[in-house]
Structures are given as C-alpha cells and as structure tokens.
Amino acid sequence: MPKILILLLFILSPAFLEAQELDRNQLINDLKYLSSDELEGRAPLSTGSKKAQAYIKERFSSLGLFSQFDDYTQYFSFGEENKVENAANIVAFVPGQESEKIIVITAHYDHLGVKDGKIYNGTDDNASGTAALLAFAEFFSKNPPKHSMLFAALDAEERGLQGAKALVKDFPFSMDQVLLNINMDMISRNDQNEIYASGTKHYPSLKSILESASRGEKVSLKFGHDLPNTGHDDWTNASDHAAFHAKGIPFVYFGVEDHADYHRHTDTFEKVNQDFYFNTVKLIKRCAVELDANLPL
C-alpha cells in the first residue's frame, strides 16, 4: 500500500480524530491546578480565586479568544449586609459561522475556600466543570461552531448562583439571541460510570439530540433530576443554569449525583477517576457539537 494512502487512512481514523479533538493531558493538568492547595478552595475575592482567574484568562488568551469584557472579566457585586464587591466572571467568545444565535457554556470556578484550617479544594465541585469549559473553548476555537458560543467561568455559585445572575443581568448581547445554556457542575466522579443530563423534562425537544449524541460513548448518559415537586432530587434550580431557566432559556445541566465527598475537604484531585472524567468530557463535547448542529439558526 502506498505510504501516502497509509498516512491518509491514519489521519482519517477515529483514534486520530479523537486525539485531535481533546487534549487529555491539558484537561487533567487544568483540573489538577485549579483544585490544588495553592488555590486554597477558590472562595470569592480570595488570593486563590484571583490565581484561578489569572489561569483561566491566560488559557483564553493563549487560544486567541475575544471577549466583550475588558481582560475577559465581568466584575459584579452582591449582598446587602456584608456586601461582596468585585467578584469576577471570566468570559470568552467564539463567533458563529452561520448564526448570531448564542449557546452559553458555563461552569463555576469558585468553591468554599478554607474552613477550620482545612482547604476545601472542590475538585469535582467544580474544578471539573471549569477544566472542561477550557477544553471546549479550545475545541470550538479550532473547530468553529455554527452558532456563536460564549464561555463563562462563573464566580460565587456557592454563594447563591451570584455569578450566573450577574451574567444574565448584564449579558453583552440581547437575551433573545441566547438559544441554550449548557452548564457543567460536578462531572469527574461516579462509581456507576454515568452522568446526568438534567433539563429535558422542561425542554423535551433537546432529549433526542442528546440521546443520539451519547450513543456509543463510554460513559452512560442518564436523564432526570428535573421533575417538579421532588425536592432535592429536582436539580432545576441547583446550579447556574437556574438563572437562564428563570428567563425562559432552555438548559442542559450535566452533573453526577452527590457522593460522600460533596462539600467536604476530601473532594480532592486524588479521588478522581481520570478515565471516567476524560470520557465524560468527551461525551459532553459530543453533545455540544450535536446541539450546535441541530438547533435552529
């Protein structure tokens, strides 16, 4: 067989294309750094939070991404008593090739900080979603989407979804342009090799796209946790997607069910099953690609 044909077959092989789509080493290194002791749990306004912000901005800048906010940063304040000023969302933008409609991809980078002398690293909650956000920003910067995509690493989720509320309140485009919010919060750990896509109870037209996208993937995509009047089992208002849902904007929330280390100082990088995490990020990426391809222009 001629060498050029062998080379073409290799380049077109699924393994080669898969390798080009997501950089596993970069993903894992991003997760490790964002949840390291150096960042001290990334509480809003802390030194560790500012280090996380600088890291995310450097990653966006290295990809040559544009932002509607100076230095990628949307500052906001919240609270009446003990007011918090200059919390920061870090936002980047990839223009669509065929549409001015926007898919907003979100993940909160804050966590609980240091309590009683212990660092709450928040590896799963939510360095995992933030590292995936960076991976998707890189992928779509190199594989331009049909719709525009806005990537928002959000602050102060643990303080009442404050970053998401601020983004929606001061969104840099008309909210009428927003087609969908894809939110990721806790995506790196599950003993059953599964992750949930919550939201299709409210927006059923999304389910068939997600089902198609998940076929053949190594991680099982489950649906649910969005049935009204089921208390804590209903995740509709559990994370940053709630601010978009409140405006009538469809959402898909990717997350695992709670585990023993949820909101504990034991939520550390060493607990992550790296194969599961990488395969989950691949699954969510494929879902994002299919949603971009199938949503109206």
Side-chain angles (χ1 to χ4, degrees):
M1 184 180 294
K3 290 183 178 180
I4 187 67
L5 181 57
I6 294 173
L7 178 61
L8 285 172
L9 289 173
F10 173 70
I11 290 174
L12 293 175
S13 70
F16 180 84
L17 293 174
E18 179 180 292
Q20 294 304 298
E21 289 179 352
L22 291 176
D23 184 335
R24 175 174 174 143
N25 288 336
Q26 182 69 64
L27 176 72
I28 298 302
N29 286 338
D30 287 344
L31 176 65
K32 186 174 184 179
Y33 177 73
L34 288 167
S35 62
S36 64
D37 285 353
E38 181 182 342
L39 271 61
E40 298 183 331
R42 310 180 305 280
L45 306 187
S46 68
T47 299
S49 174
K50 290 179 172 56
K51 288 182 178 180
Q53 293 167 27
Y55 186 84
I56 296 165
K57 286 190 280 189
E58 191 281 328
R59 291 281 283 111
F60 284 162
S61 178
S62 70
L63 297 171
L65 297 182
F66 174 74
S67 179
Q68 288 75 28
F69 299 98
D70 290 342
D71 195 29
Y72 300 100
T73 308
Q74 179 194 37
Y75 290 105
F76 64 94
S77 301
F78 63 92
E80 295 182 3
E81 295 182 9
N82 302 315
K83 187 173 183 179
V84 175
E85 296 183 346
N86 293 323
N89 295 329
I90 312 302
V91 182
F93 184 76
V94 173
Q97 298 299 292
E98 300 181 26
S99 175
E100 293 185 354
K101 297 291 187 178
I102 302 167
I103 296 172
V104 181
I105 301 182
T106 54
H108 75 90
Y109 68 89
D110 68 294
H111 195 54
L112 302 178
V114 180
K115 302 193 315 186
D116 298 324
K118 295 178 179 178
I119 298 173
Y120 283 64
N121 300 86
T123 300
D124 194 32
D125 185 14
N126 184 38
S128 66
T130 306
L133 179 85
L134 295 175
F136 297 160
E138 179 171 0
F139 173 80
F140 285 109
S141 70
K142 296 176 180 178
N143 301 272
K146 290 184 176 181
H147 301 87
S148 294
M149 290 194 176
L150 187 142
F151 300 89
L154 300 173
D155 201 358
E157 188 269 355
E158 303 286 5
R159 302 287 295 274
L161 318 183
Q162 300 299 334
K165 292 175 181 177
L167 179 63
V168 168
K169 182 178 179 180
D170 186 28
F171 199 73
F173 299 91
S174 168
M175 291 300 292
D176 291 339
Q177 290 178 243
V178 181
L179 279 179
L180 176 70
N181 171 226
I182 298 173
N183 185 42
M184 299 173 288
D185 192 351
M186 297 176 59
I187 62 170
S188 66
R189 292 180 55 184
N190 182 265
D191 294 337
Q192 285 74 48
N193 195 47
E194 63 187 26
I195 191 163
Y196 275 85
S198 180
T200 60
K201 177 70 175 179
H202 302 285
Y203 307 103
S205 64
L206 301 175
K207 189 173 183 180
S208 62
I209 300 173
L210 296 170
E211 287 176 328
S212 177
S214 65
R215 290 192 187 105
E217 292 295 309
K218 294 180 180 179
V219 173
S220 177
L221 185 65
K222 301 290 186 179
F223 297 92
H225 290 298
D226 48 13
L227 187 65
N229 303 314
T230 54
H232 290 297
D233 195 54
D234 180 6
W235 296 352
T236 300
N237 295 306
S239 185
D240 291 313
H241 55 276
F244 293 87
H245 178 59
K247 296 292 185 180
I249 296 169
F251 73 87
V252 181
Y253 166 33
F254 292 99
V256 299
E257 293 182 320
D258 289 353
H259 46 72
D261 298 304
Y262 170 67
H263 275 198
R264 296 173 61 88
H265 69 276
T266 49
D267 179 11
T268 58
F269 177 77
E270 290 72 24
K271 298 286 185 72
V272 171
N273 180 325
Q274 294 183 21
D275 288 337
F276 171 79
Y277 178 51
F278 179 60
N279 289 330
T280 296
V281 174
K282 284 169 53 184
L283 167 62
I284 299 172
K285 188 274 301 176
R286 187 173 175 188
C287 288
V289 168
E290 291 301 313
L291 288 163
D292 176 52
N294 287 280
L295 289 175
L297 296 175

